[in-house]
Amino acid sequence: MVAIHPSKQDVSDKLFARAVELIPGGVNSPVRAFKSVGGAPRFIRSASGATMTDADGRTYIDYVGSWGPMILGHADEEVVEALRDALARGTSYGAPTELEIEMAEEITSAVPSVEMVRMVNSGTEATMSALRLARAVTGGTRVVKFEGCYHGHEDSMLVRAGSGVATLGLPDSPGVPASLARETTTVPFNDARALQKVFDESGEIAAVIIEPVVGNMGCVPPQAGYLQRVREITREHGALLIFDEVMTGFRLARGGAQELFNVAPDITTLGKIIGGGLPVGAYGASREIMNTVAPAGQMYQAGTLSGNPLAMTAGLVTLKRLRDKTVYERLERSTARLCEGMTEAAREAGVETVTNRVGSMWTSFFTSEPVTNWTEATKSDRALYAKFFHLMLDEGVYLAPSQFEAGFVGLAHTDELIDRTIEAAGKSFRSLKL
Ligand code: KE4
């Protein structure tokens, strides 16, 4: 595979100039705009396996993977074939299908704590519904989230830590009512005492929502025993524990982070991988909790395209391929190889990095200190990351366009591609020191 590097990115630049006239910021999701790394985004024309090709004909080894879904690789033959067949039967019925039962069987057989599941169309819908469900079941209104964790763009979650961390939340976006933001408390990740303090000081808490392995401040694993402690505290106080596994579900293990760390949440949210790259989300829990959801129960949630046959088709092919447990051993080995190689390349070049990894999720932080929470993550040198990002892009490697995102390795990342990435990283780290 030879990276083609026309002198400039003419076509992408021209497309971006057109896009910004018609789409806010020229993109349909903010992180795609390269704002935190600078420069104009590459417009992608096609992708296959572990690579993507942009509108200027440049091909990149892709470590974003559509932010997680593409664990099999892009345009997987089996997925494409199954979608081709499904298309001929129509694209959406607005009526139940057997595919949705198969998806529910796949999820409930894989995810230990989920006995029943509802399909939705995005991770945001999944977490929004899970929070409403927790409030419906407990009767409480207050929810707790963690600094640096992202759960989609619904109002209750667009809240930053108020003054004095464990106090009332403040809106983190215009349009979020202060009255609603006050119902969300934010505490540091990997600090069980801070969570305990919230319960000691606050009244009825409906839910604690957490990314069990954080991807959205960059990859930050839970410290030993932390998730077990969060489980104990929530159980002691009758608050529901929501594991937001939109990113970690079927990524870290077939049963997600809850299988890996052997901690059973009350509600699980899923997305990304379960749709094989098509729009999808899901939330699941025990029968008792899920029978609260309409039309079985009173908590209302709905969606025109929920359980869409194309998303179910792509998702089912993907999840069935992940039944092979050796998949996760392969991803563990290849991602360890990548991270060890990049860490060594940085060390040899005299660039300070700290790499966090769990399975095939990873982030290299440009810092010399451990990164175990948001405060420590923000100590990373973002300007240096931005330079590294563009040097790697010029070397034909597409990393996450933000220091505060996780990278993903998929089954299509061969040893040859990983070695090319390590070689590109060596050149890029050395260029940083010039
Ligand atoms: P969506 O609504 O974007 O499908 O899912 C929201 C969401 C919920 N929970 C977790 C743990 C997530 O990581 C996400 C979305 N992840 C981001 C990547 N950091 C999606 C990329 C984007 O926003 O464009």
Side-chain angles (χ1 to χ4, degrees):
M1 191 269 309
V2 178
I4 302 163
H5 291 279
S7 56
K8 286 164 54 71
Q9 54 178 73
D10 294 335
V11 180
S12 267
D13 284 349
K14 288 195 180 81
L15 290 173
F16 192 46
R18 277 173 54 200
V20 294
E21 293 304 313
L22 300 168
I23 305 167
V27 292
N28 282 309
S29 198
V31 71
R32 302 178 192 171
F34 278 23
K35 280 245 181 275
S36 71
V37 291
R42 300 288 196 272
F43 279 65
I44 301 303
R45 189 153 282 164
S46 68
S48 170
T51 67
M52 294 198 294
T53 299
D54 71 11
D56 290 282
R58 283 187 184 83
T59 297
Y60 307 91
I61 303 169
D62 172 27
Y63 288 99
V64 173
S66 180
W67 301 99
M70 308 321 293
I71 196 165
L72 298 186
H74 293 288
D76 175 83
E77 275 179 26
E78 194 184 353
V79 170
V80 171
E81 195 49 43
L83 282 173
R84 196 174 280 125
D85 290 348
L87 276 170
R89 294 193 294 276
T91 54
S92 178
Y93 316 125
T97 63
E98 184 177 2
L99 287 168
E100 292 157 89
I101 304 170
E102 286 179 40
M103 176 58 77
E105 285 167 345
E106 203 64 33
I107 290 171
T108 54
S109 67
V111 185
S113 64
V114 173
E115 293 179 326
M116 291 184 91
V117 63
R118 165 64 59 86
M119 300 310 297
V120 293
N121 299 287
S122 68
T124 296
E125 273 189 75
T127 56
M128 173 174 68
S129 308
L131 288 163
R132 183 181 308 138
L133 178 57
R135 285 169 162 154
V137 168
T138 62
T141 53
R142 178 163 299 288
V143 295
V144 178
K145 73 177 289 291
F146 298 83
E147 281 174 347
C149 286
Y150 174 72
H151 304 289
H153 63 83
E154 85 251 58
D155 286 350
S156 283
M157 294 292 104
L158 291 183
V159 172
R160 64 177 181 279
S163 54
V165 166
T167 59
L168 304 182
L170 299 171
D172 202 12
S173 160
V176 174
S179 57
L180 184 61
R182 279 197 290 274
E183 296 295 347
T184 300
T185 300
T186 305
V187 294
F189 185 75
N190 271 328
D191 181 347
R193 269 201 299 275
L195 179 65
Q196 181 63 63
K197 189 165 181 286
V198 170
F199 279 92
D200 294 344
E201 292 173 356
S202 305
E204 183 67 33
I205 290 175
V208 168
I209 184 168
I210 193 167
E211 289 185 66
V213 172
V214 188
N216 288 293
M217 58 172 120
C219 179
V220 174
Q223 289 175 325
Y226 175 64
L227 294 177
Q228 285 75 4
R229 194 70 197 101
V230 171
R231 176 65 283 181
E232 286 160 12
I233 293 170
T234 46
R235 186 164 282 133
E236 276 160 30
H237 293 82
L240 295 191
L241 176 57
I242 303 171
F243 267 17
D244 178 357
E245 296 226 43
V246 166
M247 191 183 279
T248 56
F250 292 93
R251 164 63 59 185
L252 301 182
R254 187 156 176 265
Q258 58 194 272
E259 175 187 303
L260 202 60
F261 293 95
N262 195 25
V263 175
D266 298 298
I267 302 175
T268 300
T269 56
L270 296 166
K272 297 181 191 278
I273 287 174
I274 66 170
L278 272 72
V280 77
Y283 61 104
S286 67
R287 282 182 200 295
E288 183 190 5
I289 289 177
M290 290 307 286
N291 274 322
T292 309
V293 179
Q298 298 302 306
M299 189 214 95
Y300 196 71
Q301 177 271 312
T304 302
L305 295 172
S306 297
N308 171 271
L310 301 184
M312 297 300 98
T313 297
L316 280 166
V317 169
T318 303
L319 299 192
K320 285 174 180 168
R321 288 265 282 283
L322 299 178
R323 288 179 186 168
D324 171 1
K325 294 271 182 190
T326 64
V327 156
Y328 295 99
E329 291 155 18
R330 282 169 53 196
L331 289 170
E332 175 63 30
R333 267 200 315 276
S334 54
T335 314
R337 176 191 175 99
L338 172 71
C339 291
E340 283 153 19
M342 288 187 58
T343 300
E344 180 57 20
R347 194 192 58 74
E348 280 172 3
V351 175
E352 292 184 322
T353 63
V354 166
T355 295
N356 285 351
R357 177 179 73 83
V358 180
S360 55
M361 272 173 71
W362 58 282
T363 297
S364 292
F365 292 94
F366 280 69
T367 180
S368 56
E369 304 294 320
V371 178
T372 66
N373 61 34
W374 175 240
T375 301
E376 292 166 356
T378 57
K379 290 178 185 163
S380 306
D381 185 334
R382 275 163 267 185
L384 206 53
Y385 179 82
K387 283 192 191 131
F388 181 70
F389 171 83
H390 280 287
L391 286 163
M392 289 292 270
L393 209 54
D394 290 344
E395 288 296 323
V397 178
Y398 193 97
L399 298 175
S402 162
Q403 170 72 94
F404 303 130
E405 292 287 357
F408 302 96
V409 173
L411 293 167
H413 287 88
T414 60
D415 284 354
E416 190 264 337
L417 290 175
I418 285 176
D419 289 345
R420 275 181 52 76
T421 305
I422 293 166
E423 186 190 330
K427 284 177 71 178
S428 302
F429 284 125
R430 286 191 294 277
S431 302
L432 289 179
K433 298 301 281 181
L434 295 180

